[in-house]
């Protein structure tokens, strides 16, 4: 009967569309090619970060010998294309190891560096405030009673005089050093 064949075809089409729109969930699907490329690029960028480390920092990270040698070799390469190929090789070597300990160490150093930069900016803002506003000195002494107010006044006065006469910023630098001793990095938020 022709009617049954039509119904059969419809149900097959409907069933096929349901399967296509809702594929079965498989937790063991491999990552897509794009995701693999992103992962490889990330490892390659991590390898480039390794090149920027000092010899002392590089020694603190436990790297396999072949990866360590590749990083040392890449530091000596100056030609762009050769360096790019060496970075790809470093990325390839990093795929064979667990990159998480390396990433954790690099992140730790970056965080420490960011905190140090923030502290230096904090000191620079205080120095600029002291030079621009006379009441800032009283605020500083109120926040840090151990400060030598006479020394700070002298440095501020000498810095302003140096600016007026276009002399080298000797007192400007000395003021920064005094603030650096006065406000250790622990106190900066």
């Amino acid at each position: 009967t022709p009617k049954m064949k039509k119904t059969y075809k419809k149900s097959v089409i409907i069933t096929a569309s349901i399967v296509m729109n809702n594929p079965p969930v498989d937790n063991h699907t491999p990552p897509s090619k794009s995701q693999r490329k992103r992962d490889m690029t990330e490892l390659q960028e991590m390898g480039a970060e390794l090149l920027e480390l000092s010899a002392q920092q590089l020694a603190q990270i436990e790297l396999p010998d072949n990866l360590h040698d590749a990083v040392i070799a890449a530091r000596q390469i100056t030609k762009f294309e050769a360096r790019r190929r060496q970075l790809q090789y470093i990325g390839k070597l990093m795929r064979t190891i667990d990159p998480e300990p390396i990433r954790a160490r690099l992140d730790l150093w970056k965080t420490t560096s960011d905190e140090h930069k923030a502290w230096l900016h904090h000191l620079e803002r205080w120095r600029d405030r002291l030079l621009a506003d006379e009441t800032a000195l009283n605020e500083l002494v109120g926040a840090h009673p151990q400060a030598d107010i006479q020394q700070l006044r002298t440095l501020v006065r000498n810095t302003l005089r140096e600016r007026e006469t276009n002399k080298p910023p000797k007192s400007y630098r000395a003021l920064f050093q005094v603030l650096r001793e006065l406000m250790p990095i622990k106190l900066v938020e």
Side-chain angles (χ1 to χ4, degrees):
T1 60
K3 199 173 196 180
M4 285 183 76
K5 287 183 183 178
K6 256 188 181 176
T7 310
Y8 175 73
K9 287 181 183 178
K10 260 188 182 175
S11 67
V12 170
I13 293 172
I14 291 172
T15 307
S17 69
I18 291 173
V19 171
M20 295 289 283
N21 291 334
N22 299 321
V25 178
D26 184 14
N27 292 334
H28 302 292
T29 55
S32 67
K33 185 175 181 180
S34 298
Q35 182 60 44
R36 287 192 321 242
K37 284 184 178 182
R38 283 190 294 270
D39 293 343
M40 286 187 272
T41 304
E42 183 181 331
L43 289 174
Q44 199 170 325
E45 289 169 357
M46 193 184 313
E49 288 180 46
L50 290 174
L51 296 181
E52 304 301 321
L53 297 178
S54 67
Q56 188 179 34
Q57 288 175 323
L58 190 61
Q60 290 178 9
I61 298 178
E62 293 183 26
L63 297 175
D65 290 337
N66 59 351
L67 180 56
H68 186 268
D69 294 341
V71 169
I72 298 298
R75 287 180 172 182
Q76 298 169 355
I77 297 173
T78 57
K79 300 285 184 182
F80 177 78
E81 185 62 21
R83 188 176 176 97
R84 185 190 66 78
R85 284 193 310 268
Q86 186 69 12
L87 281 172
Q88 284 182 330
Y89 177 65
I90 290 171
K92 178 182 174 185
L93 292 176
M94 291 193 66
R95 279 181 260 156
T96 62
I97 64 169
D98 181 21
E100 287 310 311
I102 298 170
R103 171 58 48 210
R105 180 60 67 120
L106 290 173
D107 288 344
L108 176 69
W109 283 327
K110 185 179 183 312
T111 303
T112 304
S113 176
D114 290 345
E115 289 173 358
H116 190 266
K117 285 179 193 173
W119 173 63
L120 292 175
H121 289 301
H122 179 75
L123 295 177
E124 289 171 357
R125 283 192 302 273
W126 262 110
R127 179 177 57 187
D128 293 341
R129 280 184 63 199
L130 288 171
L131 296 173
D133 185 14
E134 294 176 11
T135 60
L137 184 59
N138 292 332
E139 287 180 43
L140 181 66
V141 172
H144 302 280
Q146 74 275 17
D148 183 2
I149 192 166
Q150 190 60 41
Q151 181 188 21
L152 289 169
R153 272 195 190 122
T154 304
L155 288 172
V156 168
R157 185 174 47 247
N158 290 345
T159 301
L160 293 172
R161 189 176 305 132
E162 286 171 355
R163 280 187 178 175
E164 290 172 3
T165 57
N166 291 327
K167 289 187 176 181
K170 180 180 175 186
S171 296
Y172 186 73
R173 292 181 187 127
L175 179 59
F176 185 80
Q177 293 303 321
V178 168
L179 289 173
R180 191 175 183 165
E181 293 170 8
L182 187 62
M183 293 183 249
I185 194 166
K186 297 173 223 161
L187 297 179
V188 178
E189 297 171 359

